[in-house]
Amino acid sequence: MQYCKTVKLRTRPIKNGMLSYYLDFYPGYRDKMTMKTIRHESLGIYIYAKPLNKREKEFNKIMTEKAEAIRCRRFESVVNERYDFFDKSRMNGDFLEYFNRVLQDKDPKWKFVYEHFKFFVDGRCRCEEVDFDLCNKFRDYLLKAKNLRNGEPMNINSVAGYWSTFRGFLNLAYRDKMIRTNPNDYLEKIPTVPVNKESLSLDELRNLYNTPCDIDVLKRASIFACLTGMRRSDIINLRWENIKTYSDGGRYVEFYAQKTKARNIIPISEEAYKLISENRNTINGLVFDGFEIVMAQKPLKTWLIKAGIKKHITFHSFRHTFASLQVELGTDLYTVMQLLAHKSVTTTQIYACHADPKRRETATKISSKVLGSEKEVK
């Protein structure tokens, strides 16, 4: 990396007959965050281009001495290869603009957090304003906030997820030297509340499959989700080119998840492939052509009622169904974790703990010896 060797004090003309002092770095310094080469630094110090009297000449002398003092400090930093003086201009930067730039390659949740923070700060926030007090007030805001789209209260677990995402963003901002200190050292977490993740039993899934649905693509997408554990967003965007064939003729789905952007590979059964191939449409390449988010709301509820299912089942519940049934039928948690593309087996356990076959087995160890036959007691 090439470092600047000289720092010169220069002026440029501005309006009203004034000159503006700036520093000229040669050959320049590359900003590690933007990777742009910095050649100039405006000092915010101005002098008269043509002083007309003693007062203006004295003013020019004082301002020039101040500018020269700054030049000397910058040169000392250059000699010692310390370029932290650029952090000052970064602190005055637009924190929202930085936030928006960072979230472009992140999970969609980051966009929601950004929108709430933008609303919280009324659309304006400089980097230097971000401290513990501001962040802690944003935490209080989230705890009372409503959905910006429909005005409904937010679920506490959603709030906790937003807060966790924001704290992760603060770590990035501190790493990139956009903020002087990391408020995370003092900020408290927002605890989550355990929830019952509803899923279908094997009999309920069989019953749902055998129940006619007014929207055929909804039925096929739902059953396919139960058989693969794929999210709604991935099923909507699933294309025929994502369906691959093993050397032995078996098939699998290979795709990049909309939520995590991670590459997923999920083997599918012949029954699952038959479910989608019978209605294959090659016009636009979508496996579930015509499937829309709105179908997973009232139309799905109508179909579930027709099937006699009274549980609170959403489309995402089909992913829970896949996990719980896999464990119930003997698949180990590690394999299920890989199929669901979870980062930790702990997450998988939350989905399937009620179906753990080993837990069910332990229930008979005492009862069979106490309540079983005489032969079993022996």
Side-chain angles (χ1 to χ4, degrees):
M1 180 178 290
Q2 193 175 36
Y3 293 97
C4 50
K5 298 181 177 67
T6 63
V7 182
K8 293 186 177 180
L9 187 63
R10 302 187 186 281
T11 60
R12 61 167 62 93
I14 57 175
K15 62 182 180 180
N16 299 326
M18 302 293 286
L19 299 175
S20 174
Y21 270 122
Y22 70 94
L23 296 179
D24 185 350
F25 301 94
Y26 181 81
Y29 168 74
R30 189 177 297 280
D31 187 299
K32 294 181 180 179
M33 192 185 89
T34 64
M35 296 310 293
K36 294 181 179 180
T37 299
I38 297 175
R39 285 290 310 274
H40 305 130
E41 178 190 4
S42 178
L43 300 183
I45 296 177
Y46 313 97
I47 59 173
Y48 294 97
K50 296 180 179 180
L52 301 177
N53 51 50
K54 183 178 180 180
R55 181 185 62 80
E56 293 181 355
K57 291 179 180 179
E58 185 64 24
F59 176 84
N60 279 9
K61 179 181 178 182
I62 295 173
M63 293 298 103
T64 300
E65 289 176 351
K66 288 184 177 180
E68 177 60 23
I70 296 175
R71 189 202 70 81
C72 290
R73 289 199 295 271
R74 295 292 187 267
F75 184 70
E76 179 188 4
S77 297
V78 168
V79 170
N80 293 288
E81 296 187 355
R82 297 198 320 269
Y83 295 88
D84 55 340
F85 52 84
F86 287 114
D87 295 341
K88 179 180 179 181
S89 60
R90 196 175 295 173
M91 291 299 129
N92 291 324
D94 188 334
F95 191 70
L96 287 174
E97 188 278 329
Y98 169 72
F99 198 161
N100 189 49
R101 187 169 69 248
V102 169
L103 67 82
Q104 297 305 314
D105 59 348
K106 298 294 184 180
D107 182 281
K109 184 193 299 181
W110 285 63
K111 178 66 175 178
F112 298 136
V113 178
Y114 167 79
E115 290 177 352
H116 275 285
F117 186 76
K118 183 178 181 180
F119 179 81
F120 168 69
V121 297
D122 197 24
R124 298 185 65 181
C125 182
R126 298 191 310 277
C127 295
E128 63 181 357
E129 296 179 85
V130 181
D131 56 13
F132 167 77
D133 288 334
L134 180 73
C135 295
N136 201 43
K137 288 179 181 177
F138 181 55
R139 179 182 184 275
D140 294 338
Y141 158 84
L142 286 176
L143 288 170
K144 303 174 183 177
K146 294 184 179 180
N147 191 301
L148 294 178
R149 286 170 170 74
N150 56 30
E152 296 181 357
M154 292 198 299
N155 180 278
I156 186 61
N157 288 349
S158 296
V159 172
Y162 286 3
W163 178 240
S164 178
T165 297
F166 181 73
R167 295 186 69 191
F169 170 63
L170 290 177
N171 287 333
L172 294 180
Y174 181 67
R175 181 202 65 185
D176 291 339
K177 296 184 178 180
M178 299 299 295
I179 54 179
R180 288 190 177 88
T181 60
N182 191 346
N184 275 325
D185 295 338
Y186 310 100
L187 295 172
E188 295 183 5
K189 294 181 179 180
I190 295 179
T192 57
V193 176
V195 295
N196 179 31
K197 295 184 178 295
E198 291 282 16
S199 62
L200 299 174
S201 67
L202 195 58
D203 287 339
E204 289 171 331
L205 176 56
R206 187 181 294 112
N207 189 34
L208 186 65
Y209 174 71
N210 291 321
T211 300
C213 180
D214 295 336
I215 305 176
D216 181 65
V217 69
L218 170 61
K219 179 176 181 177
R220 288 186 290 110
S222 301
I223 300 301
F224 191 78
C226 292
L227 299 178
T228 61
M230 291 179 62
R231 297 181 180 89
R232 183 183 64 189
S233 57
D234 296 323
I235 284 183
I236 289 177
N237 291 282
L238 187 65
R239 307 182 68 81
W240 286 109
E241 62 196 55
N242 299 126
I243 310 297
K244 307 295 180 66
T245 304
Y246 289 115
S247 58
D248 63 358
R251 291 181 174 83
Y252 64 96
V253 181
E254 182 178 6
F255 63 99
Y256 284 89
Q258 296 292 311
K259 180 178 180 179
T260 63
K261 308 302 180 184
R263 177 170 171 261
N264 288 23
I265 297 179
I266 302 176
I268 59 175
S269 63
E270 281 301 313
E271 292 81 6
Y273 180 72
K274 183 179 180 181
L275 179 71
I276 60 177
S277 60
E278 288 181 345
N279 294 274
R280 180 162 184 167
N281 183 350
T282 58
I283 295 178
N284 57 19
L286 291 174
V287 175
F288 298 100
D289 184 31
F291 180 53
E292 300 176 355
I293 293 178
V294 67
M295 295 178 184
Q297 298 171 11
K298 187 174 181 179
L300 174 60
K301 185 177 181 180
T302 301
W303 180 36
L304 289 166
I305 293 174
K306 187 185 295 186
I309 298 173
K310 299 180 180 180
K311 294 178 180 177
H312 178 64
I313 297 294
T314 65
F315 196 92
H316 195 68
S317 299
F318 298 144
R319 181 170 166 86
H320 306 167
T321 297
F322 172 79
S324 60
L325 289 181
Q326 284 288 353
V327 177
E328 185 176 332
L329 295 174
T331 307
D332 64 275
L333 283 176
Y334 181 73
T335 300
V336 177
M337 179 191 78
Q338 291 182 314
L339 292 173
L340 293 176
H342 286 160
K343 294 182 179 180
S344 170
V345 72
T346 303
T347 306
T348 313
Q349 288 174 322
I350 295 174
Y351 278 91
C353 62
H354 71 281
D356 191 340
K358 290 186 176 181
R359 293 189 181 190
R360 295 172 61 192
E361 180 184 340
T362 60
T364 66
K365 287 187 175 181
I366 297 177
S367 60
S368 63
K369 296 185 180 299
V370 177
L371 306 176
S373 66
E374 182 179 348
K375 183 177 179 180
E376 291 175 324
V377 173
K378 292 180 180 180

